[in-house]
């Protein structure tokens, strides 16, 4: 008997060693199945019906242990769409784990808060049968067609999950909305971290079609949309973990038919010892212009979704953690901070000793810019993602509830309130010739009397598509003409007094998208194309007239941040963290890369210095 026990003990130890050597805990995990949904797009035709049928089908399969939903839950991220999705998904009798996609935050009137209210943080981690599942947001919010990005706060959260002793050594399944490649600007931040652990599989959505990938040798699977598309019924995937592999079967909702279309091996790849070199963002462009120097760079623990504002000695910014903060202009060290309760996408406005910031929590804050002390705050009752403008002790700002207000800067009291805005406002208004000009995501562009708040004229976009609306346009004006560039790639020139269209052009060779600026002498209109070219147009011509163009050599670009000229130099932002300086006659002067993320704003300081805000939580001061 004793010898039998010794033999069985020795055998068990050998078995444990073999399991550890050839797959860690995988060999001991029991088989299990779960449902994999993606891109439900509530708000699109038939999408809610397709999701209801998928939920009914999943509930009828007792073998499915949980559900993963990898983003784009809605089409436009509205509270109504999210509540519809919540009502449908609440019928699930199994646990479900859900992420945001780009559609859930890019056009959100609440700055993404409606998603949080419906479903929580939009990220998850849990352990099932010896596997650690981690899902992160895709971000960034409020930047419409910008490239994806795992938010800075989610990267740091993922670090904390992976560091926990109970999770060390566990095989990891990572879930995100985007494929883990250059479609997501900081894919490498997630992948490099995961490779230091036992990453075995990556699940993504976004493409709406089933597909097999290898993300730097990590097996990856893209799941289909739950929508029916050209079919008569929608569907989803059933995933089975068994015998060291993940098996993917497409299931048409309410039909007793499964189609196996992919398998992914599950084992420890030991990526931490892999010496293979993979493509990473290059900063070699900075070596070409050695006279451009980085003075300092501040790295926040959250994304930064706004521009910065400067005092004589401070750089003041906000983050998606709800913090308003000031950095020392010479060193980049934090001098003060003020905490709010929600994300901020509203670039601060400054006038004397009054700093105005609006928040997605619906409050407008007025702080002392020197020390961050609160002067006053007002609850507007509706989320605000718009940027304020201060002129002669009046704060002008839009909201997400159809209102545009003028307020007293010293106490926040309303001077007038225009209630005729369709949908929500994102941008900073233009004040020109005693009129305020701004667009909305409801497809309208407005001109209000600045003193009375009355409507003088409005123009309606005819596309009928919020994604093409003039909601992200920052207007500029010269020679009694207001210019906008919308996501529909049209350039439009309005008579500033009457709203009559002077010219409106869309050209295949000049694919513009929102990024626009005005020369210091107001004689030139600058526009940037998605192909990375800069054009100068005449502001006093009766039709579109091109002065010159320059190839910026930055590749495909969707950054909508404004262009600006200062001291005869035009500063051009990009979605790859590159700032390009061009003379006002079109000569490329220099380029400098400060990050690999989309740039929010460029703010000049004198003749030889600029401060740059980028979405990945960086504020950078460079000197030339």
């Amino acid at each position: 008997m004793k010898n039998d026990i010794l033999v069985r003990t020795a055998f068990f130890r050998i078995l444990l060693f073999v399991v550890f050597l050839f797959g860690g805990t995988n060999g001991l995990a029991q088989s299990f199945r779960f449902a994999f949904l993606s891109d439900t797009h509530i708000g699109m035709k038939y999408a809610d019906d397709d999701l209801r049928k998928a939920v009914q089908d999943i509930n009828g399969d007792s073998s499915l242990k949980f559900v993963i939903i990898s983003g784009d839950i809605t089409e436009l991220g509205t509270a109504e769409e999210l509540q519809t999705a919540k009502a449908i998904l609440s019928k699930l009798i199994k646990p479900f784990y859900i992420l945001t996609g780009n559609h859930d935050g890019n056009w959100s009137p609440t700055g993404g808060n409606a998603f949080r209210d419906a479903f929580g943080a939009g990220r998850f981690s849990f352990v099932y049968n010896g596997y650690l599942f981690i899902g992160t947001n895709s971000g960034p919010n409020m930047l419409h067609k910008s490239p994806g990005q795992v938010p800075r706060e989610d990267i740091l959260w993922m670090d904390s999950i992976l560091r926990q002793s109970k999770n060390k050594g566990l095989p990891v399944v990572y879930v995100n909305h985007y494929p883990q490649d250059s479609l997501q600007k900081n894919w490498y931040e997630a992948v490099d971290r995961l490779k230091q652990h036992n990453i075995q599989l990556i699940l993504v959505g976004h493409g709406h079609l089933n597909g097999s990938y290898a993300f730097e040798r990590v097996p990856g699977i893209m799941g289909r949309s739950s929508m029916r598309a050209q079919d008569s019924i929608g569907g989803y995937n059933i995933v089975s973990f068994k015998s060291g592999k993940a098996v993917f079967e497409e299931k048409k909702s309410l039909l007793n038919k499964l189609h196996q279309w992919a398998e992914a091996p599950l084992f420890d790849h030991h990526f931490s010892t892999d010496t293979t070199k993979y493509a990473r963002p290059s900063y070699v462009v900075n070596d070409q212009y050695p006279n451009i120097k980085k003075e300092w760079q501040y790295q926040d623990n959250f994304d930064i979704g706004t521009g910065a504002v400067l005092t004589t000695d401070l750089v003041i910014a906000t983050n998606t953690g709800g913090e308003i903060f000031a950095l020392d202009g010479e060193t980049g060290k934090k001098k003060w901070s003020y905490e709010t309760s929600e994300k901020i996408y509203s670039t601060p406005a400054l006038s004397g000793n009054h700093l105005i910031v609006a928040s997605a929590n619906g409050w407008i804050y007025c702080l002392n810019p020197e020390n961050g002390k609160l002067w006053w705050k007002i609850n507007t009752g509706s989320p605000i993602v718009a940027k304020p403008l201060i002129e002669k002790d009046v704060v002008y700002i839009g909201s997400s509830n159809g209102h545009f207000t003028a307020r007293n800067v010293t106490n926040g009291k309303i001077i007038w309130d225009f209630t005729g805005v369709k949908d929500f406002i994102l941008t900073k208004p233009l004040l020109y010739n005693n009129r305020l000009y701004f667009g909305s995501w409801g497809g309208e562009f407005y001109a209000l009397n600045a003193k009375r708040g009355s409507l003088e004229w409005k123009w309606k976009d005819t596309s009928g598509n919020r994604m093409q609306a003039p909601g992200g346009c920052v207007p500029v004006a010269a020679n009694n003409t207001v210019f906008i560039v919308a996501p529909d790639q049209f350039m439009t020139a309005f008579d500033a007094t009457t709203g009559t269209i002077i010219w409106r052009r869309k050209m295949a060779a000049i694919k513009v998208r929102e990024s626009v600026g005005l020369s210091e002498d107001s004689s030139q209109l600058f526009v940037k194309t998605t192909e990375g070219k800069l054009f100068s147009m005449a502001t006093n011509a009766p039709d579109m007239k091109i002065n010159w163009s320059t190839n910026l050599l930055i590749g495909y670009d969707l950054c909508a941040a404004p262009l600006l000229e200062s001291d005869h130099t035009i500063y051009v932002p990009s979605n790859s963290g590159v700032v390009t300086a061009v003379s006002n006659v079109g000569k490329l002067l220099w380029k400098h890369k400060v990050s690999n993320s989309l740039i929010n704003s460029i703010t000049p300081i004198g003749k030889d210095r600029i401060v740059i805000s980028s979405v990945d939580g960086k504020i950078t001061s460079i000197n030339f």
Side-chain angles (χ1 to χ4, degrees), residues 570-588:
I570 308 158
Y571 297 103
V572 185
S574 72
N575 62 208
S576 57
V578 173
V579 174
T580 306
V582 180
S583 75
N584 62 2
V585 293
K587 179 183 177 182
L588 197 152

Side-chain angles (χ1 to χ4, degrees), residues 353-356 363-367 374-380 390 393-395 406-416:
N353 65 345
H354 292 87
L355 176 77
I356 302 294
W363 289 78
I364 299 175
Y365 299 86
C366 181
L367 307 181
L374 181 70
W375 292 125
W376 54 261
K377 62 180 180 178
I378 297 288
N379 186 356
T380 67
I390 305 176
D393 295 331
V394 179
V395 180
R407 295 175 180 270
N408 188 305
V409 76
T410 59
N411 55 30
K413 292 183 178 180
I414 291 178
I415 298 170
W416 54 254

Side-chain angles (χ1 to χ4, degrees), residues 42 53 99 128 130 136 138 156 206 211 215 229 264 304 364 390 398 446 492 508 532 582 598 608:
I42 296 300
K53 287 183 170 65
L99 300 175
Y128 191 88
T136 58
S138 58
L156 299 181
H206 193 60
F215 300 121
I304 293 177
I364 299 175
I390 305 176
Y446 304 85
T492 308
V582 180
L598 186 144
D608 58 1

Side-chain angles (χ1 to χ4, degrees), residues 522-550:
S522 298
S523 66
Q524 298 183 75
L525 174 75
F526 304 123
V527 294
K528 175 167 60 69
T529 71
T530 55
E531 284 80 15
K533 293 182 179 180
L534 180 68
F535 283 82
S536 166
M537 314 279 186
T539 59
N540 61 354
D543 204 341
M544 189 178 78
K545 177 185 176 183
I546 298 174
N547 296 322
W548 51 259
S549 67
T550 297

Side-chain angles (χ1 to χ4, degrees), residues 221 224 237 248 265 328 353 358 457 480 505 521 584 592:
I221 294 291
R224 59 158 291 170
N237 279 288
F248 291 81
D328 186 290
N353 65 345
W457 59 263
N480 201 45
R505 297 284 179 266
D521 64 4
N584 62 2
H592 192 81

Side-chain angles (χ1 to χ4, degrees), residues 277-445:
K277 300 295 184 183
Y278 296 97
R280 292 294 180 264
S282 171
Y283 288 74
V284 69
V285 65
N286 294 350
D287 298 333
Q288 300 174 26
Y289 303 96
N291 59 312
I292 313 301
K293 302 292 184 182
K294 181 172 69 176
E295 292 186 317
W296 53 260
Q297 186 172 72
Y298 168 82
Q299 175 65 74
D300 202 84
N301 289 335
F302 290 85
D303 275 4
I304 293 177
T306 68
V309 65
L310 310 180
T311 70
T312 54
D313 56 354
L314 295 175
V315 177
I316 303 176
T318 67
N319 65 26
T320 55
E323 182 186 16
I324 308 164
F325 60 91
L327 307 178
D328 186 290
E330 294 299 320
T331 65
K333 302 296 183 183
K334 186 177 286 188
K335 300 290 287 185
W336 60 256
S337 67
Y338 181 91
E339 299 286 342
T340 73
S341 60
E342 300 291 350
K343 296 180 179 183
I344 299 176
Y345 293 102
S346 175
T347 299
L350 181 66
S351 177
N353 65 345
H354 292 87
L355 176 77
I356 302 294
V357 183
S359 170
N361 65 8
W363 289 78
I364 299 175
Y365 299 86
C366 181
L367 307 181
N368 184 328
E370 293 304 314
N371 53 29
K373 300 297 183 183
L374 181 70
W375 292 125
W376 54 261
K377 62 180 180 178
I378 297 288
N379 186 356
T380 67
S382 177
I384 300 178
V385 292
K387 286 77 174 166
L389 168 71
I390 305 176
E391 184 71 25
K392 295 181 179 179
D393 295 331
V394 179
V395 180
Y396 301 101
I397 189 167
S399 188
S400 297
N401 61 354
H403 289 250
F404 187 98
T405 60
R407 295 175 180 270
N408 188 305
V409 76
T410 59
N411 55 30
K413 292 183 178 180
I414 291 178
I415 298 170
W416 54 254
D417 183 4
F418 176 74
T419 61
V421 179
K422 184 178 179 181
D423 219 308
F424 76 102
I425 302 170
L426 177 65
T427 59
K428 179 179 178 178
L430 167 70
L431 180 60
Y432 178 72
N433 287 352
N434 299 315
R435 295 182 185 89
L436 293 155
Y437 301 91
F438 58 91
S440 81
W441 285 113
E444 296 183 339
F445 186 77

Side-chain angles (χ1 to χ4, degrees), residues 172-356:
V172 178
V173 178
Y174 177 60
V175 190
N176 192 268
H177 180 64
Y178 279 94
Q180 294 305 287
D181 53 28
S182 58
L183 277 177
Q184 194 159 46
K185 297 302 290 185
N186 63 341
W187 86 94
Y188 54 92
E189 289 197 88
V191 170
D192 285 351
R193 284 166 163 81
L194 292 165
K195 283 185 171 182
Q196 296 303 310
H197 299 268
N198 186 6
I199 178 65
Q200 299 195 0
L201 181 64
I202 295 176
L203 302 178
V204 301
H206 193 60
H208 288 216
L209 299 174
N210 289 330
S212 298
Y213 296 82
F215 300 121
E216 299 184 6
R217 290 185 52 217
V218 182
I221 294 291
M222 177 184 288
R224 59 158 291 170
S225 167
S226 65
M227 295 190 295
R228 66 188 68 181
Q230 303 304 314
D231 207 341
S232 60
I233 195 167
Y236 60 98
N237 279 288
I238 291 177
V239 188
S240 301
F241 276 32
K242 59 182 179 180
S243 305
K245 60 186 177 182
V247 177
F248 291 81
E249 298 173 291
E250 184 177 25
K251 177 72 164 65
K252 298 291 181 68
S253 298
L254 304 182
L255 298 181
N256 294 320
K257 191 174 181 180
L258 286 171
H259 166 59
Q260 181 179 328
W261 63 273
E263 290 185 359
L266 298 172
F267 65 92
D268 190 343
H269 298 259
H270 300 287
F271 287 118
S272 61
T273 61
D274 184 5
T275 58
T276 307
K277 300 295 184 183
Y278 296 97
R280 292 294 180 264
S282 171
Y283 288 74
V284 69
V285 65
N286 294 350
D287 298 333
Q288 300 174 26
Y289 303 96
N291 59 312
I292 313 301
K293 302 292 184 182
K294 181 172 69 176
E295 292 186 317
W296 53 260
Q297 186 172 72
Y298 168 82
Q299 175 65 74
D300 202 84
N301 289 335
F302 290 85
D303 275 4
I304 293 177
T306 68
V309 65
L310 310 180
T311 70
T312 54
D313 56 354
L314 295 175
V315 177
I316 303 176
T318 67
N319 65 26
T320 55
E323 182 186 16
I324 308 164
F325 60 91
L327 307 178
D328 186 290
E330 294 299 320
T331 65
K333 302 296 183 183
K334 186 177 286 188
K335 300 290 287 185
W336 60 256
S337 67
Y338 181 91
E339 299 286 342
T340 73
S341 60
E342 300 291 350
K343 296 180 179 183
I344 299 176
Y345 293 102
S346 175
T347 299
L350 181 66
S351 177
N353 65 345
H354 292 87
L355 176 77
I356 302 294

